[in-house]
Amino acid sequence: MNYDFSFYMPVNILGGKNALQNNKNIFSTLGKKCLIVTGKSSAKKSGALDELIAVFDELNIEYTIFDEITENPLTKTCCDGGKAAREFGADFVVGIGGGSPLDGAKAVCVYATNPHIINDDIYTADVTNKPLPLVVIGTTSGTGSEVSGVSVLTRENGRKQSISGKNYYALYAIADAKYTYSVPFRTTVSTALDALAHAVESMFSPRADFLTQQFALISIKMIYPVLQKLHDTKELPNSEERDTLYFASLYAGFALNKGGTGFPHGMGYALTEDYNVPHGIACAVFIPQYLTEAEKSNPDLFNQVLDSMNCDKSTAEKLIADLCDLQLSIPDEKIKGYVARWETLKNFKNSPTDFNNEDAGLLVKRLF
Ligand code: NAP
Ligand code: FE
């Protein structure tokens, strides 16, 4: 067996039931003043914000809340968050939410200590000062942002673009799946599909190795039966299934952190930008084609993926297409624009075959 691998993931994950309360001592080590970065509702609905405030009151940590982070967070909003952190004199940041607030919080930490970086400069400017320390508390089972050194932001021109590297890892992740119990049905489906896409895409990435492929396979094995149940019953998962989805999203995050994503993620951004399609669905709709490419390139690994799903390819394709349930009609002119734009996309090179931007245009035409 060839088990060569290298793995770097510097986040200290503190997991388990009541992980926040059980590990509250970490906050005192980070300082006396905290900026809490969230979206409008998830931090409250999940129960995480109230629990964090109770801990801060107990520890005499002063806090202020920046709840401006929207879905697909804008660089400008995160830059405003950085300014808020400076004005408050925050020693550290806690991000609470799904991928959007967590990615937003990562960027806030960079902007906070680097006032020369304004909005889209974050993609190019030197980060000369160390970002503020960050604790993340995830409330969805999808992005794995808790364990990746990646932040996906939206540029001033409305285009989504990721940024990655050592400045984009949290210091601690509090991993308690109970915060995901309030996620509504459609977001549960979309986020589970996102995690599945991370596992499947990273599996066939040229950067993947033995260890990340094991993480991906475990993740697929955990997610697939829950997706099947969501599909068949249209009911919310029970708490055990919620826990399974959450930990599967972390495994997929470990795999993504090394392997990165392939063409489904690159292509999916356009559907979110132009048609407001939730991120996971926007990417997963291209997974059936990705599986076709994967089968051509590495039949052995492809069979391992199907074994983890415990089904054949056409069954998996139908399940994913049914769950995505996308009824879009995309005009030819728009597709031409995408094809030109996708020419430079790194995600195509990070895919198993020479599937290119022209092929991608034909795929979009066939699907929509
Ligand atoms: P999200 O955009 O963070 O949240 C989607 C919706 O679900 C929001 O309305 C949110 O409310 C709500 N929500 C979240 N948690 C909830 C809870 N516990 N109870 C009730 N409602 C809840 O969704 P996401 O799929 O987790 O994140 C998607 C973003 O992450 C995209 O921008 C995507 O590009 C990015 N992403 C990042 C990585 C990475 O490695 N960093 C990987 C993949 C994707 P609020 O608006 O109140 O928050
Ligand atoms: Fe994703």
Side-chain angles (χ1 to χ4, degrees), residues 194 198 265 279 283:
D194 187 26
H198 296 162
H265 262 69
H279 170 72
C283 302

Side-chain angles (χ1 to χ4, degrees), residues 276-292:
N276 214 13
V277 178
H279 170 72
I281 289 172
C283 302
V285 76
F286 301 116
I287 288 293
Q289 183 65 37
Y290 192 83
L291 285 172
T292 299

Side-chain angles (χ1 to χ4, degrees), residues 3-319:
Y3 54 86
D4 292 348
F5 66 86
S6 66
F7 189 64
Y8 175 72
M9 202 295 292
V11 183
N12 191 341
I13 311 174
L14 304 167
K17 295 229 179 302
N18 302 320
L20 176 58
Q21 186 67 28
N22 293 344
N23 295 283
K24 61 186 174 198
N25 56 324
I26 61 162
F27 295 108
S28 305
T29 69
L30 299 175
K32 280 295 198 197
K33 293 180 101 176
C34 173
L35 183 79
I36 302 173
V37 174
T38 75
K40 274 287 171 259
S41 69
S42 53
K44 294 186 198 109
K45 284 185 191 153
S46 64
L49 183 62
D50 283 350
E51 284 187 28
L52 182 70
I53 289 173
V55 164
F56 280 179
D57 288 345
E58 210 180 312
L59 299 173
N60 285 319
I61 291 175
E62 252 186 90
Y63 63 87
T64 188
I65 300 174
F66 182 82
D67 64 359
E68 304 293 317
I69 305 289
T70 55
E71 288 182 45
N72 310 299
L74 309 175
T75 54
K76 179 174 182 330
T77 315
C78 300
C79 189
D80 291 346
K83 189 160 171 259
R86 279 196 301 279
E87 284 171 358
F88 179 61
D91 300 311
F92 66 102
V93 170
V94 176
I96 306 177
S100 297
L102 300 195
D103 286 0
K106 291 175 182 183
V108 165
C109 291
V110 170
Y111 287 117
T113 52
N114 293 275
H116 62 286
I117 302 181
I118 310 288
N119 303 349
D120 286 2
D121 294 347
I122 196 162
Y123 291 105
T124 49
D126 285 336
V127 177
T128 43
N129 301 311
K130 211 170 162 210
L132 286 180
L134 172 65
V135 180
V136 291
I137 305 177
T139 68
T140 61
S141 302
T143 69
S145 179
E146 294 92 326
V147 298
S148 74
V150 180
S151 168
V152 185
L153 305 175
T154 302
R155 298 185 75 108
E156 287 167 286
N157 67 4
R159 300 287 184 224
K160 281 170 74 86
Q161 188 176 332
S162 65
I163 182 163
S164 60
K166 67 175 178 8
N167 293 319
Y168 295 91
Y169 284 106
L171 189 59
Y172 292 100
I174 305 283
D176 187 341
K178 76 175 175 211
Y179 301 132
T180 68
Y181 292 2
S182 51
V183 178
F185 186 81
R186 186 84 176 139
T187 308
T188 302
V189 169
S190 177
T191 49
L193 285 171
D194 187 26
L196 183 79
H198 296 162
V200 172
E201 288 173 50
S202 64
M203 184 88 195
F204 298 95
S205 146
R207 288 191 265 146
D209 63 27
F210 173 80
L211 189 68
T212 61
Q213 284 165 343
Q214 300 313 303
F215 287 140
L217 288 170
I218 292 169
S219 179
I220 294 166
K221 204 172 189 152
M222 291 167 83
I223 297 168
Y224 196 83
V226 184
L227 279 178
Q228 204 150 23
K229 191 184 152 195
L230 291 174
H231 172 268
D232 295 349
T233 65
K234 310 280 179 288
E235 282 170 16
L236 284 167
N238 60 34
S239 56
E240 207 163 303
E241 290 156 347
R242 292 276 200 199
D243 295 353
T244 300
L245 285 179
Y246 186 66
F247 291 103
S249 78
L250 296 185
Y251 279 118
F254 297 151
L256 165 123
N257 192 42
K258 176 84 191 281
T261 53
F263 68 75
H265 262 69
M267 294 174 69
Y269 287 169
L271 302 187
T272 299
E273 291 159 6
D274 292 350
Y275 298 94
N276 214 13
V277 178
H279 170 72
I281 289 172
C283 302
V285 76
F286 301 116
I287 288 293
Q289 183 65 37
Y290 192 83
L291 285 172
T292 299
E293 304 300 319
E295 185 175 17
K296 284 188 236 164
S297 117
N298 194 330
D300 176 43
L301 274 189
F302 170 79
N303 284 327
Q304 290 184 45
V305 167
L306 286 189
D307 283 350
S308 298
M309 292 175 170
N310 197 21
C311 67
D312 59 29
K313 181 164 175 260
S314 59
T315 308
E317 284 176 350
K318 182 170 178 332
L319 181 83

